[in-house]
Amino acid sequence: MVIAPDIEAQILRYHHAEKWTVGTIARQLHVHHSVVRRVLAQAGLPRIGPPPRPSQIDAYLPFIRQTLETFPTLTASRLYAMARERGYRGSPDHFRHLIACHRPRPKAEAYLRLRSLPGEQAQVDWAHFGHLQIGRARRPLMAFVMVLSYSRQIFLRFFLDARMESFLRGHVGAFAAWQGVPRVLLYDNLKSAVLERHGAAIRFHPTLLGFAGHYRYEPRPVAVARGNEKGRVERAIRYVRDSFFAARSFVDLDDLNAQAETWCIGPAADRRCPDEPQRTVRAVFAEEAGRLLALPDNPAPLLERVTVSVGKTPYVRFDLNDYSIPHTHVRRVLSVLADPHEVRIVDGAEVLAVHRRSYDKGAQIEAADHVQALVEQKRAAREHRATDRLAHAVPASQTLLARAAERGANLGAITSALIRLLDRNSAADLQAAILEALERDVPHPNAVRLALEHRREQRGQAPQVDLALPEHVQRRDAPVRPHALETYDQLKERSDD
C-alpha cells in the first residue's frame, strides 16, 4: 500500500513525540498496522513488539538465501517445490509471502551524463505509432527518428514498414535535411542493424555496413541494458509522441511526412537545447552543421529487390498486391525493383512493366496493353476477364452467379448480360439492382434489368433504349442485290424458238 508523504510524517511524529503504539496510530489514521510497522522500519527503527514467533521456514532460510544469490530470478513456486523436496510442509501462499521478504533486491545503478562533440554522433531508432487502414490492408505506421547528440536536432519520417530499405531511406532523408553526415551513428539492438550479438561480439547487417561505407560513418551499437547511451533518441521519440503526433489529423502518409518536416524545422528546432538552455536547438545546430561530414557525390541506391516466380496468370505478387506483366512472360522467374512510389518488373536488363505502387491488399494493378494483348490472344482469357471485371466492380454478381449455377442456368449468358448492363449503368446502380434481385430470390439478368429500370423511373430518368441489333439479326439483315430481269427475257426468247 502506497501512502501519502503527510501520512508518513504523522506516523513518525505520533510514534516519536506522542509515544503512541502501533495499534493506536493505525486506528487513528485509518491505515493497517502493517503499514505503520513498515514506515517505522524504513525510518531505521528497530522492530516494535514481541519477538517474532518461530516459523517452519527458519530452518530453510540458509538454503533459500544461497539459492537466491546464485539464481536471483528463480520463481517462488520453483523454490517452494525445492523446499518441499527437503521437508518443508508450509502452505505455498505463506511461503511466497516470505520469499518476497528475503529475495535480494537489485542495486540501483547511477549513470554518467554523456556528452559528445559537435558533428560527432547521432542516435537512431524506430518507433511504432499504431496502424493505418489503406483499403483492405492494415499497415503498421513506423516512425524513423534520428537525433544529433550535440544540438538535439531531430529528423522524423514515417513509413508503412520497418524493412531495411525504409530504414536506409530514413538515413538518406536525414543526411539530406542536415546536408551532412555524423561521424558515428548509435543503434539499439535493432534487427535492421545487428544480426547477432554475443557479449562484445557483434555481427552487423552487411547491407548496413555497405551503406555506412558509402557515407563514411561508423555504425556503433549501444551496450546491452544501457539506456543512458541512447537516451537522446528515446526522449526525442517521447517528444514526438507528445508534441507532434498527439491529436494530429492527416490525409495520407505523404501529408503526415510533410507535416513532420515542417515540425522538425519549426517548433522542434525552436525549443531550448537541453545542454545549453540559453540557446535554441536551431542556434546550436547552426554551429554543429559545419562539423558534419560532407555528403558523397552520388546517393546510395535504395531499391527493394525481390525475386518472384510467375504462375499461369500474367501477374506478379509483391507486397500483398498483384501487378500485371506481358502474358508472354508467364512461368518465369522475374525481379521486382520497388521504391516508395513505383514498382518495376524486370527480366534481366529488360523492363517489362512499370506500375504505381499500391499499399492496398489484394488489389490488381493492371496496364491496359497487358490485358488487351491477352484478351486478343485467347477467347477464354476474354471470358475470364469479364468475370474478373464483374467481381471487382460489382461484388454481388458472384452471389448471383452462384445461385444461378445451383438452378442450372447458363452462366456464360448471364455473365454477358451483366457485362452489358455494367457498360450502360454505374457499378453502384448495378450492385443495388443485383441485391434487389437476390432479395426477391430471382438470380436472373431480367430481374436485375427490371430493378435498374425501376430505379431510373424513381429518379425521373428516361428508359434506356438499345438501338443495336443482336449479331445474328445483323447477319440476317445483310443487303441483297436484286437479279437483273433481262435474263428472264432471254429465257423466254429461247423457249419461243
Side-chain angles (χ1 to χ4, degrees):
M1 177 181 177
V2 179
I3 62 173
D6 58 335
I7 300 296
E8 184 175 347
Q10 290 182 36
I11 291 174
L12 295 175
R13 182 170 63 84
Y14 290 148
H15 174 75
H16 289 286
E18 307 298 340
K19 309 299 181 182
W20 286 5
T21 63
V22 172
T24 303
I25 297 175
R27 284 192 302 271
Q28 296 303 319
L29 298 181
H30 304 288
V31 296
H32 197 267
H33 60 84
S34 63
V35 175
V36 178
R37 289 192 177 92
R38 174 167 59 83
V39 171
L40 298 178
Q42 289 175 348
L45 298 177
R47 180 182 176 87
I48 301 174
R53 293 178 298 176
S55 174
Q56 296 184 46
I57 203 173
D58 292 344
Y60 302 90
L61 285 179
F63 161 74
I64 292 172
R65 292 193 182 101
Q66 182 180 2
T67 304
L68 288 176
E69 287 178 2
T70 308
F71 307 100
T73 60
L74 195 64
T75 61
S77 59
R78 183 59 198 150
L79 273 174
Y80 178 74
M82 296 170 67
R84 290 276 299 179
E85 293 175 358
R86 289 162 174 78
Y88 180 73
R89 291 297 176 264
S91 68
D93 294 337
H94 186 59
F95 183 86
R96 185 178 294 106
H97 170 72
L98 296 175
I99 289 301
C101 298
H102 294 283
R103 187 182 295 276
R105 303 292 183 230
K107 296 181 179 179
E109 184 176 0
Y111 294 95
L112 291 174
R113 182 160 188 167
L114 303 179
R115 296 184 180 274
S116 62
L117 298 174
E120 181 69 19
Q121 182 192 101
Q123 300 180 8
V124 185
D125 206 354
W126 280 116
H128 188 264
F129 281 76
H131 291 81
L132 285 184
Q133 191 71 32
I134 303 178
R136 288 166 289 184
R138 187 169 181 263
R139 301 273 182 171
L141 183 60
M142 304 298 298
F144 173 88
V145 181
M146 183 183 293
V147 57
L148 289 170
S149 298
Y150 180 75
S151 64
R152 310 299 177 88
Q153 180 73 21
I154 296 175
F155 175 81
L156 171 65
R157 181 163 295 175
F158 291 89
F159 295 91
L160 296 177
D161 55 59
R163 294 192 180 100
M164 172 60 75
E165 293 78 13
S166 299
F167 191 56
L168 299 184
R169 288 188 189 110
H171 286 69
V172 173
F175 299 158
W178 298 338
Q179 288 298 303
V181 182
R183 288 173 169 78
V184 177
L185 289 186
L186 288 185
Y187 299 99
D188 199 355
N189 292 304
L190 299 168
K191 292 183 179 179
S192 303
V194 179
L195 291 181
E196 189 176 5
R197 182 168 191 161
H198 296 285
I202 299 170
R203 184 163 68 91
F204 276 104
H205 198 294
T207 304
L208 180 64
L209 290 177
F211 179 83
H214 183 84
Y215 282 92
R216 301 184 297 278
Y217 72 85
E218 176 192 352
R220 184 183 299 172
V222 299
V224 178
R226 288 293 183 271
N228 65 318
E229 294 187 8
K230 57 186 288 289
R232 289 171 173 83
V233 69
E234 290 182 347
R235 286 191 293 273
I237 291 174
R238 186 166 62 247
Y239 179 57
V240 169
R241 293 187 188 278
D242 298 338
S243 300
F244 172 76
F245 194 77
R248 182 170 295 272
S249 59
F250 51 92
V251 178
D252 52 18
L253 186 68
D254 292 336
D255 180 33
L256 179 60
N257 280 326
Q259 295 184 44
E261 182 179 359
T262 303
W263 179 80
C264 287
I265 62 179
D270 292 332
R271 73 189 193 279
R272 294 293 176 183
C273 181
D275 289 337
E276 299 184 37
Q278 69 278 9
R279 295 202 293 169
T280 63
V281 170
R282 186 189 307 278
V284 180
F285 172 70
E287 174 190 341
E288 184 179 21
R291 307 289 183 88
L292 297 173
L293 296 175
L295 292 171
D297 296 334
N298 55 326
L302 298 176
L303 291 176
E304 299 176 48
R305 187 180 186 93
V306 181
T307 301
V308 293
S309 180
V310 186
K312 295 184 294 184
T313 57
Y315 293 93
V316 165
R317 172 60 61 91
F318 172 72
D319 194 20
L320 305 179
N321 297 295
D322 294 328
Y323 297 86
S324 68
I325 60 170
H327 68 276
T328 54
H329 287 74
V330 297
R331 301 287 192 181
R332 293 191 186 182
V333 177
L334 305 176
S335 297
V336 175
L337 304 177
D339 61 26
H341 304 288
E342 188 179 79
V343 173
R344 288 186 292 162
I345 305 167
V346 300
D347 184 9
E350 180 185 4
V351 179
L352 302 178
V354 179
H355 298 281
R356 181 173 180 81
R357 184 165 182 172
S358 172
Y359 290 96
D360 202 342
K361 179 181 180 181
Q364 283 188 348
I365 297 89
E366 301 172 336
D369 54 342
H370 297 161
V371 178
Q372 187 61 30
L374 181 59
V375 169
E376 292 175 355
Q377 184 188 27
K378 300 179 69 176
R379 174 72 180 178
R382 184 182 297 112
E383 295 177 356
H384 183 67
R385 172 62 185 161
T387 305
D388 281 352
R389 181 186 173 195
L390 274 176
H392 284 85
V394 189
S397 63
Q398 301 305 298
T399 306
L400 186 141
L401 290 173
R403 293 193 185 178
E406 295 174 356
R407 304 186 180 190
N410 188 338
L411 298 184
I414 294 177
T415 302
S416 300
L418 294 178
I419 286 293
R420 288 195 297 271
L421 292 175
L422 180 60
D423 292 337
R424 298 167 57 189
N425 300 273
S426 66
D429 287 345
L430 185 57
Q431 172 81 1
I434 291 177
L435 291 175
E436 184 176 342
L438 292 175
E439 289 179 0
R440 297 177 179 177
D441 197 21
V442 186
H444 195 275
N446 289 340
V448 178
R449 188 178 296 106
L450 289 175
L452 286 171
E453 292 177 359
H454 181 64
R455 293 174 65 85
R456 292 181 65 85
E457 290 177 1
Q458 290 179 339
R459 292 195 291 257
Q461 297 176 345
Q464 291 182 339
V465 179
D466 192 357
L467 299 178
L469 296 174
E471 185 178 354
H472 68 281
V473 177
Q474 293 180 10
R475 287 198 301 265
R476 293 178 184 176
D477 201 26
V480 179
R481 187 174 60 181
H483 193 72
L485 298 179
E486 289 80 2
T487 57
Y488 293 100
D489 293 338
Q490 295 176 4
L491 291 175
K492 187 175 184 234
E493 290 176 358
R494 291 177 184 175
S495 63
D496 293 341
D497 294 341

